Amino acid sequence: MKEIKIGNLTLKMPVIQGGMGVGISLSGLASAVANEGGVGVISSAGLGLLYKHFSTDYLKASIYGLKEEIRKAREKSSGIIGVNVMVAMSNFADMVKTAIQEKADIIFSGAGLPLDMPSFLKSDSTTKLVPIVSSARAAKIICQKWKSVYNYLPDAIVVEGPKAGGHLGYKENQIDDQDFSLEKTIPEVVSVANEYKEEKNIPVFAAGGIYTGEDMSRIMELGAAGVQMGTRFVTTEECDASDAFKQTYINAEEKDIEIIKSPVGMPGRAIWNNFIQKMKEGNTHPKGCACHCIKTCDSTKSPYCIIMALYNAFKGNFDRGYAFAGSNAFRAKKIETVKEIFASLKTEYEKYQLSKSKNRVLG
């Protein structure tokens, strides 16, 4: 595997660890991935709950929490540390500004089009900006808007396919439609990025359903510079989730991973449990809205509070929450270290490349 550059940042392994909230990818996981030469990513989602001891004001606690997580990650690693900030979050601007002020290396932003993200950069800002998209159309819109309004182009683009975990940028009937598959979308987005290659190199990273080094190799053959992976890193010692959360992945069977309707108006992929069953039966009800964390969420009509469900899962309380997961979560069989994951990815990648070489010779 070749080293990949995002601006002046060098990835020794072309792997971005996906941002997973609430609380699943914080400084612990992010620093461990960064130490292995990938990009470690802190999720900014729900930090106001994790740091409510600092302030009962969700917005203030979120800002403080992000500063703390970036600081702790920097103490543990000199590698590349990123922050994931969803456009749909009501405190999107606060989180982007804080990440830039704290000199996070990269901000990854999806769950909507981050059309104004370059506006938060200052003349001395060093933070790279990477949108997460689900289509070539979205990539083109962002590039055109950033270029025309801010004279700025993305430092990279992440394409998140329909096999990803958590909220998905697809309609339910598109999730299993091959016309929307990652394999089809990656070359299309690479083509958009190549339109700007004389001005800027924009590497494209593939996400959603990538689990092994062989998966990496196959998708990189289609033009991806590297991959973003979330699910594979959940069952690691360094992952910031509770042991109960990790065990949910290990216990899961393929049939347990399903598409659910989220209160924020998007489909999501999660591991079935009794809470999800109660939700389907209409037996879950929010007690109120503590923080209005998502712009599109109407707590008066929501069957449950999404952020509290994810926060409860993070802590291991699955009577009142559930775990988001990618389509391959059922493949996790044990707890490993991040170092072991990276070694496996490299071995799997090289083994697949070797087998291809042999087949070409024999052919």
Side-chain angles (χ1 to χ4, degrees):
M1 277 184 272
K2 296 179 181 178
E3 293 183 348
I4 295 295
K5 280 190 172 289
I6 298 178
N8 61 351
L9 302 172
T10 302
L11 285 66
K12 294 180 181 177
M13 281 274 283
V15 175
I16 298 166
Q17 164 248 309
M20 297 173 284
V22 171
I24 310 306
S25 63
L26 301 173
S27 56
L29 178 57
S31 59
V33 171
N35 283 335
E36 296 304 316
V39 180
V41 180
I42 296 164
S43 170
S44 64
L47 287 174
L49 289 177
L50 275 61
Y51 282 87
K52 58 186 177 182
H53 61 276
F54 170 76
S55 174
T56 55
D57 184 317
Y58 177 80
L59 299 179
K60 289 181 180 178
S62 294
I63 292 171
Y64 175 81
L66 183 53
K67 288 180 178 179
E68 279 293 286
E69 290 301 323
I70 293 173
R71 179 189 62 77
K72 289 192 284 188
R74 293 290 188 209
E75 286 179 353
K76 299 172 186 174
S77 177
S78 59
I80 303 172
I81 300 295
V83 174
N84 181 283
V85 185
M86 296 187 295
V87 177
M89 287 166 39
S90 55
N91 61 343
F92 170 77
D94 281 347
M95 295 291 91
V96 170
K97 289 176 184 176
T98 302
I100 291 171
Q101 288 168 2
E102 296 300 308
K103 299 192 182 302
D105 293 309
I106 306 174
I107 296 175
F108 298 90
S109 188
L113 299 182
L115 296 177
D116 65 343
M117 198 156 63
S119 69
F120 298 103
L121 294 172
K122 306 296 183 185
S123 58
D124 61 344
S125 297
T126 58
T127 302
K128 308 294 184 289
L129 305 181
V130 178
I132 302 173
V133 302
S134 56
S135 69
R137 180 176 177 272
K140 197 171 190 70
I141 289 171
I142 291 169
C143 288
Q144 289 176 339
K145 178 70 180 288
W146 286 16
K147 177 64 178 173
S148 63
V149 178
Y150 307 107
N151 194 29
Y152 194 96
L153 287 167
D155 295 286
I157 297 173
V158 172
V159 182
E160 194 168 274
K163 293 183 179 181
H167 289 122
L168 304 173
Y170 299 87
K171 295 177 182 177
E172 242 181 291
N173 64 343
Q174 295 173 336
I175 292 172
D176 294 318
D177 187 334
Q178 288 305 302
D179 285 339
F180 297 90
S181 69
L182 185 62
E183 290 78 8
K184 185 175 187 299
T185 308
I186 279 293
E188 295 171 350
V189 176
V190 169
S191 179
V192 172
N194 285 341
E195 292 177 21
Y196 299 91
K197 63 183 177 182
E198 291 185 5
E199 299 174 71
K200 190 172 190 176
N201 178 46
I202 307 175
V204 176
F205 290 79
I210 311 294
Y211 197 82
T212 67
E214 180 175 333
D215 294 337
M216 287 179 64
S217 182
R218 289 180 184 275
I219 205 70
M220 288 168 71
E221 287 171 3
L222 299 178
V227 300
Q228 176 182 284
M229 307 173 75
T231 294
R232 183 90 191 252
F233 291 113
V234 169
T235 50
T236 58
E237 291 180 8
E238 297 91 344
C239 177
D240 299 277
S242 64
D243 290 343
F245 188 98
K246 299 174 188 180
Q247 195 61 42
T248 298
Y249 275 52
I250 293 172
N251 293 344
E253 298 178 23
E254 188 171 7
K255 64 179 177 61
D256 298 324
I257 300 166
E258 60 179 64
I259 301 298
I260 65 170
K261 292 181 179 179
S262 167
V264 304
M266 302 170 75
R269 181 174 277 106
I271 299 174
W272 180 91
N273 67 0
N274 287 332
F275 181 88
I276 290 177
Q277 188 60 38
K278 289 178 184 177
M279 178 265 292
K280 288 181 176 180
E281 295 168 355
N283 295 323
T284 56
H285 305 282
K287 294 181 179 178
C289 181
C291 49
H292 186 57
C293 60
I294 301 294
K295 297 171 188 174
T296 57
C297 185
D298 182 351
S299 61
T300 63
K301 299 177 182 177
S302 298
Y304 61 95
C305 174
I306 181 66
I307 197 169
M308 287 308 302
L310 297 178
Y311 177 61
N312 288 332
F314 153 73
K315 294 190 297 180
N317 180 4
F318 287 97
D319 289 331
R320 298 173 62 188
Y322 57 80
F324 272 150
S327 62
N328 284 309
F330 69 94
R331 298 175 68 175
K333 301 301 179 189
K334 61 181 180 179
I335 302 297
E336 301 174 89
T337 65
V338 167
K339 184 177 283 294
E340 287 170 339
I341 296 289
F342 269 84
S344 292
L345 291 173
K346 187 175 181 181
T347 299
E348 292 156 1
Y349 182 95
E350 291 174 348
K351 183 178 179 181
Y352 176 72
Q353 289 288 314
L354 183 61
S355 68
K356 274 184 60 188
S357 297
K358 287 181 178 178
N359 287 338
R360 279 196 294 266
V361 172
L362 292 172

